[in-house]
Structure formats: C-alpha cells, structure tokens
Amino acid sequence: MPYPDRFYPVVDSLAWVERLTKLGVGTIQLRAKDLDDGQALQMVTDALAITKGTPARLVVNDYWRAAIVAEAKYLHLGQEDLAEADLKAIREAGLSLGISTHDDAELETALAAKPDYVALGPIFFTTLKSMRFEPQGIPKITEWKKRIGAIPLVAIGGIKFEQAAEIFAAGADSIAVVSDVTQNADPDARVKQWLGDSAKAA
C-alpha cells in the first residue's frame, strides 16, 4: 500500500481513531493539542493499541518523543515542531516523517529534512484553526508536485469530497481531511464515500 493513503483523515481523539479503524481507513493522523509528555505518551500508546492488528497506520502529530518511546512507525511534524525536534533520534527510531508546509521557505526547510511526504496547505479557506497563510488554491498543488518529484504530496485545508477528483488530477498523491469527516452529519457514510472513491482513483 502506498503511504500515506489517498484518503488521510486527521482526528483529535481515541474515539475517532477507533471509529475510523473499524471503517477500514488505512492512514489516520492523531492530532491532539496541548498534552504534556505523560499524556501524549498515554494517548499514543492507547491509539497504537487500537490500530494494532488492523490495516490502519497511525500517524502521530507533533509528539515525536512519545512516538519514539511508544514505538510508533509514523510521525508528522509542523514547522515549529520540526525546528525543535531531534531528527537524528527520529530517524534512528525508524519513524517515517511527514512535514507541513505553507510557503516556499517552509518547503525548502522540509526538503532539507528528507521527508517521506510533504503536506501543502491550506488549499482552501479553513475555519479549524487561524491560519497566517492565505489559501493556496489548486494550481499550487501542480507547481509543488513538479518541484518535489517522487516525494508524495498531501493536500490539506478545507477540502471536501466533492473537490477530491480535481485535487488528485492537479497532482496530489493524498488528501488530508478534517472537518469533512469530523463535522459531517453522517461521518461513517462520508468516510465510505472517500474510501470508495480513493480506491477507484488509486
């Protein structure tokens, strides 16, 4: 299976990890903010227990120390976390690394870390977090995919299922989805929609 999967939900709780795992999602990012080291380690350990023995791959957001201790396999870092992280320790632990980018300078920083994938965002306006970056738009996906070549490109930010075909066509290898799942009136049906389309498009 390619990593990350074409449909790449990002959630903030163990309940969501469990729900998505049961639905057959292949790549799930756990992004929970403001945890101390102990809380982070407990949450990562619990999430790994949920996905163990299933096809789901758990991606730990930010908490690289917890990811190493809990023996996770996948890690995602934002730019601020990347600046503080011990990349040598992360690589020695065998963690696959994805990095968030929002502009050209951040892309250069990310590529210097030799990531396993690069995330570009926000593609569209998003209300989930205050962004100091303007929406990138779909044409930026094509431009960045040319620049990074074989490295998988993940599009993120305000993306709904109805826009997926256009975003894949523009060059994205994967789409990270937050509100289109977590704030959907029928999340399970939406996930199945994404899974069906992603499988067809793969």
Side-chain angles (χ1 to χ4, degrees):
M1 285 292 289
Y3 172 76
D5 287 68
R6 289 169 72 81
F7 169 55
Y8 182 6
V10 179
V11 295
D12 62 1
S13 71
L14 294 172
W16 273 113
V17 171
E18 186 167 14
R19 187 170 182 173
L20 294 173
T21 299
K22 285 177 176 171
L23 287 167
V25 174
T27 305
I28 304 166
Q29 185 182 131
L30 177 60
R31 181 169 73 187
K33 296 297 180 186
D34 304 319
L35 304 181
D36 64 30
D37 287 349
Q39 292 169 325
L41 180 57
Q42 187 64 57
M43 192 167 200
V44 171
T45 302
D46 291 346
L48 287 169
I50 290 167
T51 57
K52 188 174 183 181
T54 76
R57 292 174 287 200
L58 181 82
V59 184
V60 177
N61 182 290
D62 291 353
Y63 300 110
W64 59 272
R65 291 184 184 86
I68 291 172
V69 175
E71 299 183 354
K73 292 184 169 60
Y74 305 94
L75 178 68
H76 182 95
L77 294 176
Q79 292 280 324
E80 289 166 13
D81 302 285
L82 176 63
E84 297 169 8
D86 184 341
L87 284 176
K88 186 167 180 284
I90 288 166
R91 289 304 188 190
E92 284 175 354
L95 278 158
S96 174
L97 177 63
I99 300 174
S100 294
T101 63
H102 305 89
D103 61 22
D104 291 327
E106 291 191 351
L107 178 59
E108 292 304 317
T109 300
L111 292 177
K114 297 186 168 48
D116 295 281
Y117 71 80
V118 168
L120 167 65
I123 302 304
F124 302 119
F125 179 74
T126 174
T127 55
L128 283 180
K129 55 182 186 177
S130 59
M131 299 296 290
R132 54 194 179 90
F133 298 97
E134 290 295 310
Q136 305 282 351
I138 291 175
K140 194 74 171 274
I141 297 169
T142 307
E143 178 193 329
W144 280 37
K145 185 57 188 170
K146 283 179 186 161
R147 289 173 63 178
I148 68 175
I151 301 170
L153 179 62
V154 178
I156 187 170
I159 301 170
K160 297 195 175 339
F161 172 76
E162 289 76 15
Q163 297 149 332
E166 190 179 359
I167 286 171
F168 284 132
D173 299 288
S174 171
I175 298 176
V177 179
V178 189
S179 60
D180 195 45
V181 169
T182 61
Q183 296 179 9
N184 198 284
D186 189 347
D188 291 13
R190 195 58 151 179
V191 167
K192 287 171 185 169
Q193 218 175 359
W194 273 102
L195 289 173
D197 183 76
S198 297
K200 285 202 298 277

Short mmCIF file of all heavy atoms in Angstrom, two decimals, residues 7-12 16 31 126 128 156-159 175-184:
data_model
loop_
_atom_site.label_atom_id
_atom_site.label_comp_id
_atom_site.label_asym_id
_atom_site.label_seq_id
_atom_site.Cartn_x
_atom_site.Cartn_y
_atom_site.Cartn_z
N PHE A 7 -6.79 8.80 0.92
CA PHE A 7 -7.69 9.43 1.90
C PHE A 7 -6.99 9.37 3.25
O PHE A 7 -6.67 8.30 3.75
CB PHE A 7 -9.02 8.67 1.93
CG PHE A 7 -9.93 9.07 3.07
CD1 PHE A 7 -10.30 10.39 3.27
CD2 PHE A 7 -10.43 8.11 3.94
CE1 PHE A 7 -11.14 10.75 4.31
CE2 PHE A 7 -11.28 8.46 4.98
CZ PHE A 7 -11.63 9.79 5.16
N TYR A 8 -6.78 10.54 3.86
CA TYR A 8 -5.91 10.65 5.03
C TYR A 8 -6.60 11.52 6.09
O TYR A 8 -6.32 12.72 6.18
CB TYR A 8 -4.58 11.25 4.56
CG TYR A 8 -3.48 11.42 5.57
CD1 TYR A 8 -3.59 10.95 6.88
CD2 TYR A 8 -2.31 12.06 5.21
CE1 TYR A 8 -2.55 11.13 7.79
CE2 TYR A 8 -1.26 12.24 6.11
CZ TYR A 8 -1.39 11.78 7.39
OH TYR A 8 -0.36 11.96 8.29
N PRO A 9 -7.51 10.95 6.88
CA PRO A 9 -8.21 11.74 7.89
C PRO A 9 -7.31 12.11 9.07
O PRO A 9 -6.42 11.35 9.46
CB PRO A 9 -9.36 10.84 8.34
CG PRO A 9 -8.95 9.46 7.98
CD PRO A 9 -8.01 9.56 6.83
N VAL A 10 -7.56 13.31 9.60
CA VAL A 10 -6.82 13.84 10.75
C VAL A 10 -7.83 14.08 11.87
O VAL A 10 -8.78 14.84 11.70
CB VAL A 10 -6.12 15.16 10.38
CG1 VAL A 10 -5.36 15.72 11.58
CG2 VAL A 10 -5.17 14.96 9.20
N VAL A 11 -7.62 13.41 13.02
CA VAL A 11 -8.60 13.47 14.11
C VAL A 11 -7.90 13.75 15.43
O VAL A 11 -6.68 13.64 15.54
CB VAL A 11 -9.41 12.15 14.20
CG1 VAL A 11 -10.26 11.96 12.95
CG2 VAL A 11 -8.49 10.95 14.39
N ASP A 12 -8.71 14.08 16.45
CA ASP A 12 -8.11 14.55 17.71
C ASP A 12 -8.45 13.70 18.93
O ASP A 12 -8.22 14.13 20.06
CB ASP A 12 -8.53 15.99 17.97
CG ASP A 12 -10.04 16.14 18.13
OD1 ASP A 12 -10.77 15.12 18.07
OD2 ASP A 12 -10.50 17.28 18.34
N TRP A 16 -12.24 8.73 17.76
CA TRP A 16 -12.20 8.87 16.30
C TRP A 16 -11.25 7.85 15.69
O TRP A 16 -11.54 7.28 14.63
CB TRP A 16 -11.79 10.28 15.90
CG TRP A 16 -12.93 11.24 15.80
CD1 TRP A 16 -13.17 12.33 16.60
CD2 TRP A 16 -14.01 11.20 14.85
NE1 TRP A 16 -14.33 12.96 16.20
CE2 TRP A 16 -14.85 12.30 15.14
CE3 TRP A 16 -14.33 10.36 13.80
CZ2 TRP A 16 -16.01 12.57 14.39
CZ3 TRP A 16 -15.48 10.62 13.06
CH2 TRP A 16 -16.31 11.70 13.35
N ARG A 31 -4.04 14.07 15.95
CA ARG A 31 -3.54 15.42 16.22
C ARG A 31 -4.29 15.98 17.43
O ARG A 31 -5.37 16.52 17.31
CB ARG A 31 -3.74 16.32 15.00
CG ARG A 31 -3.21 17.73 15.20
CD ARG A 31 -3.19 18.51 13.89
NE ARG A 31 -4.51 18.89 13.44
CZ ARG A 31 -4.76 19.46 12.26
NH1 ARG A 31 -3.78 19.66 11.41
NH2 ARG A 31 -5.98 19.80 11.92
N THR A 126 -9.99 27.56 5.68
CA THR A 126 -10.40 26.62 6.72
C THR A 126 -10.70 27.36 8.01
O THR A 126 -9.99 28.30 8.37
CB THR A 126 -9.32 25.53 6.97
OG1 THR A 126 -9.71 24.73 8.08
CG2 THR A 126 -7.96 26.13 7.25
N LEU A 128 -10.89 25.73 10.90
CA LEU A 128 -10.49 24.89 12.03
C LEU A 128 -9.38 25.50 12.87
O LEU A 128 -9.31 25.29 14.06
CB LEU A 128 -10.05 23.52 11.53
CG LEU A 128 -11.22 22.62 11.13
CD1 LEU A 128 -10.70 21.29 10.66
CD2 LEU A 128 -12.17 22.42 12.30
N ILE A 156 -4.01 19.60 2.05
CA ILE A 156 -4.81 19.72 3.27
C ILE A 156 -5.41 21.13 3.35
O ILE A 156 -4.84 22.08 2.83
CB ILE A 156 -3.98 19.43 4.54
CG1 ILE A 156 -4.86 19.39 5.78
CG2 ILE A 156 -2.81 20.41 4.69
CD1 ILE A 156 -4.17 18.87 7.04
N GLY A 157 -6.55 21.23 4.00
CA GLY A 157 -7.12 22.53 4.29
C GLY A 157 -8.45 22.78 3.60
O GLY A 157 -8.48 23.16 2.44
N GLY A 158 -9.55 22.55 4.32
CA GLY A 158 -10.87 22.89 3.83
C GLY A 158 -11.36 22.05 2.67
O GLY A 158 -12.27 22.45 1.94
N ILE A 159 -10.77 20.87 2.47
CA ILE A 159 -11.12 20.06 1.29
C ILE A 159 -12.31 19.16 1.58
O ILE A 159 -12.35 18.46 2.59
CB ILE A 159 -9.91 19.21 0.84
CG1 ILE A 159 -8.72 20.12 0.50
CG2 ILE A 159 -10.28 18.35 -0.36
CD1 ILE A 159 -7.42 19.39 0.29
N ILE A 175 -5.02 13.23 0.14
CA ILE A 175 -5.77 14.37 0.66
C ILE A 175 -6.02 14.16 2.15
O ILE A 175 -6.61 13.17 2.55
CB ILE A 175 -7.12 14.55 -0.07
CG1 ILE A 175 -6.89 14.84 -1.56
CG2 ILE A 175 -7.92 15.68 0.57
CD1 ILE A 175 -8.17 14.93 -2.37
N ALA A 176 -5.51 15.09 2.95
CA ALA A 176 -5.77 15.06 4.39
C ALA A 176 -7.09 15.76 4.66
O ALA A 176 -7.33 16.87 4.18
CB ALA A 176 -4.63 15.73 5.15
N VAL A 177 -7.95 15.11 5.42
CA VAL A 177 -9.32 15.58 5.62
C VAL A 177 -9.60 15.70 7.11
O VAL A 177 -9.31 14.78 7.88
CB VAL A 177 -10.32 14.59 4.99
CG1 VAL A 177 -11.75 15.05 5.21
CG2 VAL A 177 -10.04 14.41 3.50
N VAL A 178 -10.15 16.84 7.50
CA VAL A 178 -10.50 17.03 8.91
C VAL A 178 -12.01 17.23 9.02
O VAL A 178 -12.75 16.28 9.26
CB VAL A 178 -9.73 18.22 9.53
CG1 VAL A 178 -9.97 18.26 11.04
CG2 VAL A 178 -8.24 18.14 9.24
N SER A 179 -12.47 18.44 8.77
CA SER A 179 -13.88 18.77 9.03
C SER A 179 -14.86 18.02 8.14
O SER A 179 -16.00 17.78 8.53
CB SER A 179 -14.12 20.27 8.90
OG SER A 179 -13.80 20.71 7.61
N ASP A 180 -14.44 17.63 6.94
CA ASP A 180 -15.37 16.93 6.05
C ASP A 180 -15.77 15.58 6.63
O ASP A 180 -16.79 15.01 6.25
CB ASP A 180 -14.75 16.74 4.66
CG ASP A 180 -15.80 16.36 3.61
OD1 ASP A 180 -16.88 16.99 3.61
OD2 ASP A 180 -15.54 15.44 2.82
N VAL A 181 -14.98 15.08 7.58
CA VAL A 181 -15.34 13.87 8.32
C VAL A 181 -15.89 14.22 9.70
O VAL A 181 -17.01 13.89 10.05
CB VAL A 181 -14.14 12.91 8.44
CG1 VAL A 181 -14.45 11.79 9.44
CG2 VAL A 181 -13.79 12.32 7.09
N THR A 182 -15.09 14.95 10.49
CA THR A 182 -15.44 15.12 11.90
C THR A 182 -16.64 16.02 12.13
O THR A 182 -17.31 15.93 13.16
CB THR A 182 -14.24 15.68 12.70
OG1 THR A 182 -13.87 16.95 12.16
CG2 THR A 182 -13.05 14.74 12.63
N GLN A 183 -16.94 16.92 11.18
CA GLN A 183 -18.09 17.79 11.34
C GLN A 183 -19.22 17.42 10.39
O GLN A 183 -20.18 18.18 10.22
CB GLN A 183 -17.66 19.25 11.12
CG GLN A 183 -16.67 19.72 12.18
CD GLN A 183 -16.20 21.15 11.97
OE1 GLN A 183 -16.72 21.87 11.14
NE2 GLN A 183 -15.20 21.56 12.74
N ASN A 184 -19.12 16.24 9.80
CA ASN A 184 -20.15 15.80 8.87
C ASN A 184 -21.36 15.25 9.62
O ASN A 184 -21.20 14.65 10.69
CB ASN A 184 -19.57 14.71 7.95
CG ASN A 184 -20.41 14.51 6.70
OD1 ASN A 184 -21.46 13.91 6.75
ND2 ASN A 184 -19.93 15.04 5.59
#
